Amino acid sequence: MPYAGGVFTSHHPARDDGFRDRRAEVARLDAAVDLLRAGRPKWIALIGPRKIGKTSLLGEVARRRRDPALAFVLYDVFEAAPPSIEVVRTLALRAADQALGAALGASLEALAPRPAEYRAVLAGAAAFARLPPAVRTTLLELPDAALDAARVRACLELPEQLASALGLHVVVAIDEFQELTGVTVGAGRGKGDLVPLLRAVWQHHRRVAYVISGSAPTMLLELVTSERSPFFHHFEVMELGPFAEADAIALLVDDAPPGRAIPPAVARRAVALFGGHPFYLQLLGEALTAQPGAIDEPALKQAVGDLLFSSTGRLALYFTAEYQRLVGRSASLAAVLAALAPGPLRLGELATAIRAATGAAAAYVGRLGDAVVRDDDHHRIADPVFARWLAWRAPGGAAVPMATIGDEAERRVADELARLGFDLVYQSRASRGAFDLLATRGTAQLGVQVKRTKLPASVAAAAWKRMRAESARLGWDFVVAAVTPDDVVHFLDPARIGAGGAPRLRATAAIDNLLAWLDARTYGARRARPASPRAPRRRAPRAVK
């Protein structure tokens, strides 16, 4: 879902010059509109993940084909939950708005909750008076008539009848169409499913074309390709996926707000992290350009951490909602996602990981729908960004942020901090200051400056003063994590780094037990280990390999 006008806006579909990519898809929909106007309507099934830009695509085609004789009716089944037969009333009202709204000077859909006012507006309009009697009757009954089988059919016929009476062509687009498969028509012995009735009515229309879309690809594909489906061979399938790399980079670079340009190198790195999903890139663009200061690699790390690896991050909240939708209260489904988050597994490996029989594991995978896909003999989470979020929120996931956005030394330090049981490791809010990471353990906060260096090594006096000042200002303890060429991590005590004059990184400054050191700093000597009655013997600091 791209965005418009030089400002990142993730909360509504793209319009006008904010629309990007999708050239082939726009061309196919344009061709379908041409066939409709030639009296040969084509039906299209538009399939892609949620937030991938299906509504934006349809809106862009509608914008480009502006014509008083061409109407677009867009409806999302999720507008009213749970889906019910009322969807046909809403579609009919929306079609009437597109056909008559300009002549009436009012929205029939908006007036429908007030039937008397609705009918008064219709009765006073010359355009209404020119309609055939059967169409006028349907329109007058539309706001409050009980939706029995006959009136449901009348609602479904209304777009074609209005198009014929007014010389229009209409494109009706229904998003999340697969959700209508459980909707029924009528009651008692005459009760039936809505979907076969849709096919029965729509197939006779010549001035209306239908576009259905949805974020459950397997279910929607089954609906339009299965021989058992009422819609078998009625729809042409069009799949919508992430942006190509060049278009994803252009989305970030070209549409950044004035004065907050995103350098191409930063945009390229962002696309490498998030892929070409336009909604994710929108959110990242908003987070990146909202920060003060330069838009560079540290700013990107901060934005990714705030957006994805924070309990209140916008993408994290979106994934939380998706997780609840997928899992509900099922511990078994949650276990499957947790097991697959680190990477693909064979079915037998997955069954072992969740301690279930192979058949049960296969059933759980099936219940997760398109969230899990199969590549050859392995199962994996379809969305790699969602998989990273799942891995981060799992026990032991503290190092995931640095595995995603950190450099090699930061990742090595983050792995060790996670092994020591720190609750969270992420690019700190002081990333523009002295520290590279923030590690938390209970109420303790530890700033970490990462250095890949041999020991001993010097520290610039200005950098050392900055670390001390930042530590005092933020209320953190801090250490320097030196990663030596042999890939050993040494956590160095700042009190020993600065001892004896000029600050210097030495192996003798290494902290033997980081957890005990931090406890003593946080809670005081009463939490420290009891002193040995014997005189302590000197020993070399323990390095972490």
Side-chain angles (χ1 to χ4, degrees):
M1 188 185 298
Y3 46 84
V7 177
F8 294 107
T9 51
S10 56
H11 53 278
H12 60 70
R15 292 292 184 265
D16 304 328
D17 61 343
F19 187 86
R20 297 194 175 279
D21 199 13
R22 313 304 192 201
R23 291 171 287 275
E25 292 86 353
V26 168
R28 287 177 67 181
L29 289 173
D30 265 337
V33 173
D34 290 337
L35 287 173
L36 169 64
R37 303 196 72 162
R40 293 179 288 131
K42 175 189 286 188
W43 300 358
I44 292 177
L46 187 59
I47 297 174
R50 292 192 68 194
K51 300 286 190 178
I52 201 67
K54 299 182 292 294
T55 303
S56 293
L57 175 61
L58 293 167
E60 176 65 9
V61 173
R63 183 189 69 82
R64 295 185 184 192
R65 298 299 296 253
R66 286 178 182 149
D67 184 332
L70 180 64
F72 284 79
V73 178
L74 308 181
Y75 180 74
D76 185 341
V77 174
F78 284 159
E79 289 179 23
S84 73
I85 196 59
E86 285 294 324
V87 66
V88 300
R89 192 195 310 271
T90 303
L91 276 170
L93 287 165
R94 207 159 287 184
D97 268 347
Q98 291 297 316
L100 297 170
L104 298 176
S107 166
L108 294 177
E109 185 178 0
L111 289 173
R114 305 185 298 277
E117 187 177 347
Y118 167 99
R119 293 185 180 101
V121 168
L122 279 179
F128 175 73
R130 292 193 295 268
L131 294 173
V135 178
R136 294 202 302 269
T137 298
T138 298
L139 284 170
L140 289 171
E141 293 179 343
L142 195 51
D144 50 4
L147 290 176
D148 56 21
R151 287 195 177 96
V152 167
R153 181 179 285 271
C155 287
L156 297 176
E157 295 283 9
L158 188 61
E160 176 77 7
Q161 292 170 340
L162 288 170
S164 298
L166 300 173
L168 303 175
H169 289 92
V170 179
V171 177
V172 174
I174 305 175
D175 195 15
E176 303 301 345
F177 183 82
Q178 73 280 348
E179 301 300 319
L180 296 181
T181 54
V183 176
T184 57
V185 181
R189 302 181 72 177
K191 184 177 180 179
D193 293 333
L194 174 62
V195 169
L197 179 60
L198 293 177
R199 191 281 315 270
V201 173
W202 289 358
Q203 66 183 349
H204 300 294
H205 292 176
R206 291 295 173 265
R207 303 186 73 89
V208 182
Y210 294 92
V211 178
I212 64 173
S213 57
S215 57
T218 301
M219 188 174 180
L220 198 58
L221 277 172
E222 175 76 12
L223 188 61
V224 300
T225 61
S226 171
E227 293 183 6
R228 300 186 302 274
S229 170
F231 285 122
F232 179 57
H233 276 334
H234 280 74
F235 284 90
E236 176 182 306
V237 175
M238 182 188 304
E239 295 193 28
L240 204 61
F243 280 4
E245 182 185 34
D247 288 298
I249 292 171
L251 184 151
L252 289 171
V253 172
D254 296 347
D255 291 326
R260 300 297 295 154
I262 297 177
V266 174
R268 188 172 292 105
R269 171 70 170 144
V271 172
L273 291 172
F274 275 44
H277 196 302
F279 176 63
Y280 301 170
L281 294 176
Q282 283 179 339
L283 292 175
L284 182 59
E286 290 178 7
L288 193 56
T289 56
Q291 295 184 66
I295 297 178
D296 51 16
E297 180 75 14
L300 177 62
K301 290 180 179 180
Q302 182 67 58
V304 173
D306 290 346
L307 189 66
L308 183 61
F309 301 120
S310 166
S311 60
T312 58
R314 291 183 63 193
L315 191 51
L317 291 172
Y318 172 75
F319 283 148
T320 299
E322 283 294 285
Y323 179 80
Q324 292 299 327
R325 183 181 66 84
L326 288 169
V327 170
R329 297 182 178 180
S330 172
S332 298
L333 298 185
V336 170
L337 292 178
L340 292 176
L345 293 174
R346 291 184 175 89
L347 185 60
E349 295 169 334
L350 176 60
T352 299
I354 65 173
R355 300 181 181 181
T358 303
Y364 298 147
V365 168
R367 286 171 58 188
L368 287 168
D370 295 296
V372 175
V373 295
R374 181 173 179 176
D375 296 328
D376 298 324
D377 60 344
H378 286 76
H379 291 85
R380 63 176 175 84
I381 293 173
D383 183 346
V385 183
F386 182 48
R388 286 195 198 105
W389 176 81
L390 286 168
W392 165 70
R393 69 191 296 276
V400 171
M402 283 303 104
T404 303
I405 58 181
D407 60 28
E408 183 182 353
E410 289 171 339
R411 290 195 295 270
R412 182 70 187 87
V413 172
D415 284 341
E416 179 56 23
L417 288 170
R419 188 189 70 79
L420 292 173
F422 281 84
D423 299 322
L424 181 64
V425 179
Y426 67 108
Q427 188 69 19
S428 77
R429 293 193 176 276
S431 59
R432 300 198 163 281
F435 304 113
D436 299 302
L437 309 176
L438 170 65
T440 65
R441 183 171 181 266
T443 60
Q445 293 182 305
L446 182 68
V448 183
Q449 171 64 248
V450 178
K451 299 284 187 185
R452 179 168 279 284
T453 183
K454 295 179 181 179
L455 295 178
S458 60
V459 180
W464 180 245
K465 288 179 181 178
R466 193 178 185 190
M467 276 188 258
R468 290 171 63 88
E470 288 286 331
S471 171
R473 180 178 67 85
L474 296 168
W476 298 350
D477 290 304
F478 79 96
V479 295
V480 175
V483 184
T484 51
D486 56 354
D487 210 32
V488 174
V489 178
H490 303 263
F491 294 108
L492 306 182
D493 187 339
R496 293 188 232 170
I497 292 172
R504 192 162 178 80
L505 307 181
R506 305 177 180 87
T508 54
I511 298 169
D512 184 52
N513 184 328
L514 182 62
L515 299 181
W517 178 89
L518 186 58
D519 271 3
R521 299 278 298 177
T522 303
Y523 303 109
R526 60 188 173 84
R527 287 286 297 272
R529 290 179 298 180
S532 169
R534 296 178 298 174
R537 58 189 180 92
R538 295 180 60 84
R539 61 178 177 177
R542 183 170 60 87
V544 180
K545 182 71 176 177

